[in-house]
Amino acid sequence: MKVTISLCVFASLLVTFTDAAALTGKWPPVDQPPPPVKEWTALVDLTKVPNAPLVKVADVGVKCLDKDTFCNWSCSNCTKPDSDVILCPTKGDWGITFDDGPTENTTGLLDFLDNTGDKVTFFVVGSRVYENPEILQRAAKAGHQIGIHTWSHPYLTSQSNEQIIAEFKWTEAAIKQAVGLTPKYVRPPYGDVDDRVRGIATQLGYKVVIWDKDTNDWMSADDKSFQLTWIEGNFTEWVKEPATTGHISLEHDLYKQTAGRAPIVLPIVTKAGFSIKPISVCLGEKPYVEDVSLNTTTTTAPAPAPTAAPTADAAPAYPSAIPSASSTPATTSAANTLNSANLWSFVSFIVGSVMFI
Ligand SMILES: *[C@@H]1O[C@H](CO)[C@@H](O)[C@H](O)[C@H]1NC(C)=O
Ligand SMILES: *[C@@H]1O[C@H](CO)[C@@H](O)[C@H](O)[C@H]1NC(C)=O
Ligand SMILES: *[C@@H]1O[C@H](CO)[C@@H](O)[C@H](O)[C@H]1NC(C)=O
Ligand SMILES: *[C@@H]1O[C@H](CO)[C@@H](O)[C@H](O)[C@H]1NC(C)=O
Ligand SMILES: *[C@@H]1O[C@H](CO)[C@@H](O)[C@H](O)[C@H]1NC(C)=O
Ligand SMILES: [Zn+2]
């Protein structure tokens, strides 16, 4: 009896412990295009979404259309002011952004930022949020802005409307459950955005954040000839450029060596007289749907007693069109979704090793 009771206590402690940070509910497999959800697709009037062609698998990241009819930023630098944010509008402002986390490589960066009081913007991958919600909680609590990247990091101009919606909304749902916040800003992987992607983002209530200063730091992941000192070399030149606006720079916290550049880079920016600001702050807009401000505490004052954990919103009803080995007509589309998901994850893997932004 005694043994049973203590075993039970032990088991429940174990469950409490292991569940402490995990998201609840059922979530899509990581790093694969997540399944569309009817309720989310219904949020967008697809008849109003510009009918830009989907880029073929073989052309992804490589080929631009002959005529830039649909304003593809990564092909032509084309932007649409109503939806796109390329830079901080005010001279002297600098939006430092880090993409593709949160992971264990983010924590050292958060330590550094706690010390300096600098507040940056993280565009997070839903799959990483699912794996590391506690790191996202730490970033949000410290007052950094959290924005949506995608769930599986595809080239969005190659994805169907329904898939683009799913990439954003599954990531939004993971962030909402982890930190209780609904971001109003998205960043398309690789800056791959055209009018179709914009049309969807706008109807979902998001602004699209790109950048005007790219460190290319992601190259250091598999290109041995990439010198990390180029990152600060670039910043040193950028801060000296004559400019009538502020800037938004792109870095990655996914890699230890690129996140680890912040202690060199951020002082270059501040010493040159720039103010480092989250994107929503430099725009003078709200970062989230919820009526909350970013925590602007700028010192390492002792932390106040922890507030209650954010309400654990249930994961959205997982679509029935998901993995099932059965081959009834109802699940045929599920099988198709899965196959194309696998194909896409393979393609993204290949493309990712060539160009992971
Ligand atoms: C948009 O640009 C990206 C990156 O260059 C490219 O891979 C994609 O094919 C382009 N999409 C369209 C619709 O032109
Ligand atoms: C886009 O802008 C970047 C940076 O200003 C520049 O290096 C590049 O040549 C431009 N590309 C096109 C197609 O205009
Ligand atoms: C605000 O951020 C600081 C620095 O990271 C942290 O110590 C503090 O606990 C945060 N305050 C709240 C109310 O979350
Ligand atoms: C800036 O970065 C590029 C690679 O993105 C590199 O070729 C160039 O040398 C760097 N500039 C400096 C001054 O380090
Ligand atoms: C952290 O960075 C290292 C070095 O770039 C990388 O090999 C590792 O995969 C990263 N960790 C995660 C969880 O992505
Ligand atoms: Zn990315």
Side-chain angles (χ1 to χ4, degrees), residues 103-105 221 254-257:
T103 72
E104 59 190 10
N105 289 330
L254 179 63
Y255 307 109
K256 198 173 174 74
Q257 73 278 8

Side-chain angles (χ1 to χ4, degrees), residues 53-56 59-65 68 70-76 78 84 99 149-150 153-159 164 168 186-198 201 208-211 250 344 351 355 357:
L54 265 65
V55 175
K56 288 198 232 75
D59 293 343
V60 104
V62 185
K63 201 170 163 188
C64 294
L65 300 178
D68 189 32
F70 295 98
C71 190
N72 184 326
W73 180 78
S74 49
C75 280
S76 65
C78 177
D84 301 359
D99 287 9
H149 207 16
T150 51
H153 211 275
Y155 279 84
L156 289 176
T157 66
S158 70
Q159 303 289 293
I164 294 170
F168 288 149
V186 298
R187 171 166 280 162
Y190 317 98
D192 183 27
V193 58
D194 63 5
D195 283 339
R196 191 169 62 87
V197 177
R198 280 185 192 93
V208 175
V209 182
I210 316 177
W211 55 82
L250 170 64
W344 275 112
V351 171
M355 180 184 174
I357 294 187

